[in-house]
Amino acid sequence: MNASHLFELMIAMLPVIIALHYLAQRFGLPPAVSLLMGGAVMAFLPELPAFSPDPELMLVVFLPPLLMDGAWNISVRHLQRHMLGITSLAVGAVLFTTIVVAVVTHWLFPDLPWAACAALGAIVSPPDAVSARAVLQRVKLPRRLLMLLEGESLFNDASGLVLFRFAVAASVTGTFSAEQALQSFVLLAIGGAAVGAAVGAGWVIVARRLDDDYLVIAATLLVSWAAYILAEHFHFSGVIATVTAGMICGTYQHRIFSAAVRMRALSFWTMVIFLMEAAVFMLIGLSLRGVVDRAGGFSFVLHQMVGPALMVVLALLVARFAWIFLSDAVIWLCRRLGMRRYRRLGARSAVVLGWVGVRGVVTLALALSLPANFPARDFILVTAFAVILCTVLVQGTTLGLLIRWTGLQPPESDKARLSMSEAEATLMQAQLKVIQALAYDASGELVHPMLLEQYTRKAAAYCNYAGQEEALTPRIHAHFDLVLAAIGAARAELRRLHRVGDIDEHMMATLQKNLDLEELNAIALRS
């Protein structure tokens, strides 16, 4: 497929993505499921040539911005609080799963070298950040569980990549050193964190000096690729570098971004992430045809490879559950011995945590990057795709049912100390204090009576609303419904003035922007 055909394919994917997202919303399915299936169906259309993605290109194009978006919004305070659990999942679970999958694969194919079996384990062991986001954004989980899953998906690729590289090297050279692998992992992690911190600090310095909103947003997008590519250039972990840079940028954006930049950046990032996540699942589906063709055709795959591949999927699932329940048992034992610093997950949380190991683009990219002469390469490709299909289609569609079945609900401790209305009243009181202090001149004369009256009235309204949300909400809705109706009338009059030529395009755009801001504010206050 040449560059022109690839571009035409990407354009053709856009209406398909829109249609599949619409169908997913209508039937209550995770969008990732409909996109993956849609891509798989498109892959076998006779008019389309076989699609063979470049694995390195897929990783460098899609992974950094998607990791950046996840790290941008993660709570650093909660991440630190749950770092032990995240490390257990991102390193311990990946290593344990790799070993289990390697053992099962060697049992299925005794003639297959252990290094090749370990390579398959490393390919399928780390849950994918993109797939996890696609699944988790549709469910409501306790904060601790959510932090464990988000943190795991952001950091586990680094451990999976290290295991994969050493397994491939061992297959080629016939030697393996556990000590060297551990040293390499530590070096990759520390080096990646250092590069990410440097890139994030550089963004903070640059963003503070850029006056143009669009330059700030462009610099923010550049950070993800800069951190990833720079770290990979020095043979460090691009994943950890991107996550570190994203957390730094997310922490400082509240001090750097103006209101205009934040609104524009949010709209821009929302669209970029939407298109990238959709494209990832479509491309994974489109690559199915190439995987099947390389493995010897659909009939051969169905009769010779599907059974062993499903055994690997089952081993993958069992290994994750075993690690999570074993870790929870260790915590229980520590608490029995008097070490009460750590809390158990409990059976309900452990079941849900074990079920959310969804694989995606990283698994496919690693499988495709295997050398052409690698032992059992075709089987590894088919198995990698089977893991992606099973985890996305089965676990992704049943997660909501599992949460309802277990009765898992966010505990009261997850709630903030203040309700939304109480926080709004506190902010309004802070504004009122400033107005009261500056509403008078040096002689004590009131020079801003309207502002003082306005903020006094608003502060009283916010304080009155706090604690009486249910009783006052219908009146609030009716108030802002009237405001929105008035804005609608203003828009109609604005269009009339422009149509008859009373105002020009520049005035039309300025007044339209003012009405947009007024409408957004009314919608936010109404909700």
Side-chain angles (χ1 to χ4, degrees):
M1 182 179 293
N2 58 37
S4 177
H5 288 159
L6 180 60
F7 177 74
E8 291 173 359
L9 176 63
M10 298 297 290
I11 296 300
M13 281 170 53
L14 290 177
V16 176
I17 287 172
I18 294 171
L20 291 174
H21 258 273
Y22 174 76
L23 291 175
Q25 291 175 346
R26 286 294 303 270
F27 292 100
L29 293 172
V33 172
S34 62
L35 291 166
L36 187 62
M37 294 304 298
V41 171
M42 286 181 63
F44 289 95
L45 294 178
E47 296 81 6
L48 286 178
F51 175 73
S52 299
D54 184 324
E56 293 293 334
L57 183 61
M58 281 188 68
L59 286 179
V60 78
V61 169
F62 293 105
L63 197 56
L66 294 171
L67 287 172
M68 177 83 171
D69 184 64
W72 185 280
N73 297 306
I74 200 166
S75 169
V76 177
R77 178 169 61 89
H78 288 104
L79 188 68
Q80 293 172 340
R81 181 180 178 184
H82 300 293
M83 185 52 68
L84 180 64
I86 292 171
T87 304
S88 171
L89 291 169
V91 179
V94 169
L95 178 59
F96 180 73
T97 304
T98 299
I99 295 172
V100 171
V101 171
V103 170
V104 171
T105 305
H106 196 267
W107 173 69
L108 292 169
F109 302 99
D111 295 333
L112 192 61
W114 276 105
C117 299
L120 174 58
I123 287 171
V124 300
S125 58
D128 184 63
V130 182
S131 302
R133 281 168 46 87
V135 171
L136 293 177
Q137 64 187 1
R138 297 176 56 85
V139 297
K140 190 173 184 180
L141 292 173
R143 181 185 296 163
R144 181 188 181 191
L145 206 57
L146 196 60
M147 288 303 306
L148 289 174
L149 290 167
E150 289 181 350
E152 176 196 15
S153 66
L154 289 175
F155 291 107
N156 62 8
D157 290 333
S159 51
L161 285 168
V162 171
L163 292 173
F164 172 75
R165 289 171 181 172
F166 273 88
V168 172
S171 177
V172 174
T173 63
T175 60
F176 174 76
S177 171
E179 181 181 356
Q180 187 180 359
L182 179 60
Q183 291 175 351
S184 177
F185 176 77
V186 173
L187 180 62
L188 284 170
I190 294 176
V195 171
V199 173
W203 175 84
V204 171
I205 295 171
V206 171
R208 280 175 169 166
R209 286 162 174 76
L210 292 176
D211 296 328
D212 189 279
D213 295 353
Y214 300 104
L215 293 180
V216 175
I217 297 172
T220 304
L221 180 62
L222 182 62
V223 165
S224 61
W225 282 301
Y228 187 90
I229 294 173
L230 192 60
E232 291 291 326
H233 175 74
F234 290 109
H235 305 291
F236 298 137
S237 171
V239 172
I240 292 180
T242 307
V243 171
T244 303
M247 289 192 295
I248 291 174
C249 295
T251 300
Y252 281 89
Q253 57 101 2
H254 301 288
R255 311 178 194 180
I256 295 174
F257 282 179
S258 64
V261 171
R262 187 172 292 107
M263 289 181 62
R264 290 170 177 167
L266 179 61
S267 300
F268 171 78
W269 268 104
T270 301
M271 182 54 63
V272 167
I273 298 304
F274 166 76
L275 291 176
M276 283 198 162
E277 285 184 346
V280 163
F281 288 106
M282 287 290 292
L283 293 175
I284 290 175
L286 284 169
S287 65
L288 176 60
R289 179 176 169 185
V291 171
V292 171
D293 289 344
R294 279 190 295 269
F298 189 78
S299 178
F300 181 81
V301 169
L302 185 63
H303 291 94
Q304 301 294 327
M305 294 186 178
V306 168
L310 292 179
M311 289 291 291
V312 173
V313 174
L314 181 61
L316 194 72
L317 185 62
V318 171
R320 182 173 177 86
F321 273 100
W323 178 265
I324 291 171
F325 276 93
L326 180 63
S327 301
D328 209 36
V330 171
I331 295 176
W332 174 83
L333 180 60
C334 291
R335 291 181 65 86
R336 294 278 293 183
L337 296 175
M339 294 177 285
R340 302 187 175 277
R341 178 181 177 185
Y342 305 107
R343 293 184 296 115
R344 292 186 60 198
L345 282 170
R348 295 179 181 182
S349 295
V351 168
V352 173
L353 187 62
W355 193 247
V356 194
V358 186
R359 275 67 176 179
V361 63
V362 174
T363 292
L364 181 64
L366 291 181
L368 290 171
S369 68
L370 287 170
N373 60 348
F374 195 81
R377 184 178 188 271
D378 293 339
F379 172 71
I380 292 176
L381 280 171
V382 171
T383 303
F385 208 94
V387 167
I388 295 171
L389 281 176
C390 290
T391 55
V392 173
L393 297 184
V394 178
Q395 293 171 240
T397 55
T398 58
L399 179 60
L401 294 175
L402 181 66
I403 293 173
R404 288 194 291 272
W405 177 74
T406 58
L408 187 64
Q409 296 291 334
E412 289 296 322
S413 59
D414 277 6
K415 295 181 179 180
R417 287 192 294 270
L418 297 179
S419 66
M420 178 63 74
S421 59
E422 290 170 339
E424 289 173 340
T426 302
L427 296 182
M428 186 52 62
Q429 288 291 335
Q431 295 182 60
L432 178 59
K433 287 181 180 179
V434 173
I435 297 297
Q436 289 174 335
L438 301 178
Y440 300 86
D441 61 15
S443 63
E445 182 181 354
L446 181 62
V447 293
H448 298 292
M450 294 181 64
L451 271 178
L452 182 59
E453 180 186 357
Q454 175 187 349
Y455 275 84
T456 302
R457 186 173 64 253
K458 288 175 65 176
Y462 274 91
C463 291
N464 184 51
Y465 180 69
Q468 302 185 61
E469 292 87 352
E470 291 187 9
L472 296 178
T473 292
R475 293 171 56 186
I476 297 294
H477 285 180
H479 171 87
F480 285 106
D481 284 342
L482 183 56
V483 172
L484 291 170
I487 294 172
R491 290 190 189 281
E493 180 63 14
L494 181 63
R495 291 193 296 269
R496 187 193 69 80
L497 292 175
H498 181 260
R499 186 174 59 251
V500 300
D502 288 346
I503 58 175
D504 59 17
E505 284 75 11
H506 176 72
M507 193 179 300
M508 169 82 168
T510 302
L511 294 173
Q512 186 76 63
K513 179 181 177 181
N514 293 339
L515 288 175
D516 289 343
L517 292 174
E518 189 177 348
E519 180 177 342
L520 288 174
N521 183 60
I523 292 174
L525 292 173
R526 186 187 185 281
S527 61

